[in-house]
Amino acid sequence: MAHCCTVFVAWILIQCFDRAWSWEALVVKSLVFARAGSPVELPCSYSTYISHGFTLEWRYAAPGTPAIQAERVLYYNGKLYWVHSWESRMVLVQNPPVSGLASVKILSVQPSDGGLYICDVTNPNDWTGSGQGLINLTVLVAPSVPVCQLTGSTYTGDDVTLTCHSSEGFPTPVYSWSRETGSAPLPPSSVVEDRHTGSLILTNLSATFAGTYICKASNDLGVAACSIAVKVAHGGAAEVVGGVLMGVFLLVLLIGAVTAYFLCYRKRPRRHANALGMSLDPSGQRQSKGRLLSRTLSDDHPQHLRVSHFSPLV
């Protein structure tokens, strides 16, 4: 019975020793930070011996991609194979990787290089020395030059929103707004600033709000800035609408005046003819309504003129 207990304890110790050894078979640094544009080393070391069938593999998964879908970067089985464009951007720290060091170095890390890297060592003749190590690479990026924009109308009494945003930057940039040197201070109740989104709300505009506003985007790696000018004009939306309505009213009035003029112009010749006592018969010949000289025509007698007593000859 005692012998059985001794054997059982020995078996447990062996299992624990083997498991601890397997944990230490592959050593990596789980979190690695690097600045964009600089070289970075992804450390990976192993303790197994090299034998027939030994392989080393590096795989990469972009942020948000499951580790099982990681794509191969390089493969070594006595000969080194590179995948895609990694060969020109990455090197083995120890080449060939046969002395316990499987680390790789990215020569110039880019923001798109951030993500999960897997170091996988396999030795069929020593499974306790085989294993995988996961490394999360975070690329630090200084803020890019932000873009400043203005939303809203800049009339007296109106509200506007200034926005500022950098397309790149990690850690996420913090934004701060200021005015050009020498500008008068603004009423605190009329200014609302959000340092996380980069927005600046100006309410109830007045002449004191006019000037140049400067936005700075900053993180631990640097600072970038942009500026925008705010010009406050007198008037507001109501006055603009009123001006438009007045313009429409004047246009309608002008059209009415032109129409009335043409209608009156067409009627004027008819009234002129009636004033002269003239009219047109259906054949288009003029007929007089007054007394005219008359004549009597006969085939046997000469023509005789009969003079009206209204004639000036009498």
Side-chain angles (χ1 to χ4, degrees):
M1 182 69 179
H3 177 71
C4 293
C5 291
T6 303
V7 172
F8 179 73
V9 171
W11 179 83
I12 292 177
L13 292 175
I14 292 173
Q15 294 297 321
C16 293
F17 177 79
D18 285 343
R19 181 162 299 182
W21 185 22
S22 66
W23 286 346
E24 297 177 357
L26 195 68
V27 179
V28 298
K29 186 177 181 181
S30 59
L31 297 177
V32 176
F33 297 88
R35 183 167 184 165
S38 62
V40 61
E41 181 177 326
L42 306 179
C44 178
S45 59
Y46 60 91
S47 58
T48 187
Y49 58 91
I50 302 300
S51 63
H52 179 71
F54 172 87
T55 62
L56 167 65
E57 184 178 18
W58 275 93
R59 298 191 299 275
Y60 166 72
T65 303
I68 195 174
Q69 298 180 11
E71 297 181 353
R72 181 178 292 174
V73 173
L74 69 84
Y75 182 78
Y76 176 81
N77 63 350
K79 185 176 180 180
L80 184 62
Y81 300 91
W82 291 94
V83 179
H84 301 305
S85 60
W86 287 97
E87 183 177 4
S88 60
R89 303 183 54 242
M90 179 183 287
V91 296
L92 280 167
V93 175
Q94 184 183 82
N95 191 10
V98 295
S99 300
L101 189 62
S103 303
V104 293
K105 177 185 288 186
I106 301 176
L107 301 178
S108 179
V109 67
Q110 302 300 319
S112 58
D113 294 334
L116 177 67
Y117 290 82
I118 302 174
C119 177
D120 191 345
V121 172
T122 302
N123 188 356
N125 299 316
D126 181 18
W127 289 111
T128 59
S130 302
Q132 289 184 348
L134 306 181
I135 302 174
N136 282 288
L137 173 62
T138 300
V139 182
L140 305 177
V141 183
S144 60
V145 176
V147 176
C148 291
Q149 293 181 329
L150 184 150
T151 304
S153 59
T154 57
Y155 289 100
T156 302
D158 289 344
D159 301 340
V160 297
T161 300
L162 306 182
T163 58
C164 176
H165 179 70
S166 294
S167 59
E168 295 182 353
F170 191 87
T172 303
V174 176
Y175 303 94
S176 60
W177 284 93
S178 62
R179 298 181 72 193
E180 59 184 353
T181 305
S183 300
L186 299 177
S189 59
S190 299
V191 180
V192 179
E193 181 179 6
D194 191 328
R195 294 176 60 87
H196 297 288
T197 63
S199 67
L200 178 69
I201 302 175
L202 306 177
T203 61
N204 193 21
L205 292 181
S206 63
T208 58
F209 285 81
T212 300
Y213 290 75
I214 302 170
C215 173
K216 293 182 179 180
S218 59
N219 62 13
D220 295 338
L221 280 78
V223 179
C226 63
S227 62
I228 189 169
V230 175
K231 298 180 180 179
V232 181
H234 294 288
E239 295 187 8
V240 172
V241 174
V244 172
L245 293 177
M246 180 60 70
V248 173
F249 173 75
L250 293 176
L251 179 61
V252 173
L253 186 63
L254 178 60
I255 295 174
V258 172
T259 303
Y261 171 77
F262 280 105
L263 291 176
C264 294
Y265 181 78
R266 290 183 178 181
K267 294 180 179 180
R268 184 176 299 173
R270 182 177 296 178
R271 289 199 299 267
H272 182 67
N274 292 339
L276 295 176
M278 304 291 291
S279 64
L280 297 176
D281 62 9
S283 62
Q285 298 179 352
R286 292 185 178 181
Q287 295 181 349
S288 176
K289 295 182 180 180
R291 298 180 178 180
L292 298 177
L293 294 176
S294 62
R295 61 183 180 179
T296 303
L297 299 178
S298 175
D299 295 337
D300 301 330
H301 298 85
Q303 298 180 0
H304 297 282
L305 294 177
R306 182 177 298 174
V307 182
S308 172
H309 66 278
F310 289 104
S311 173
L313 299 177
V314 179

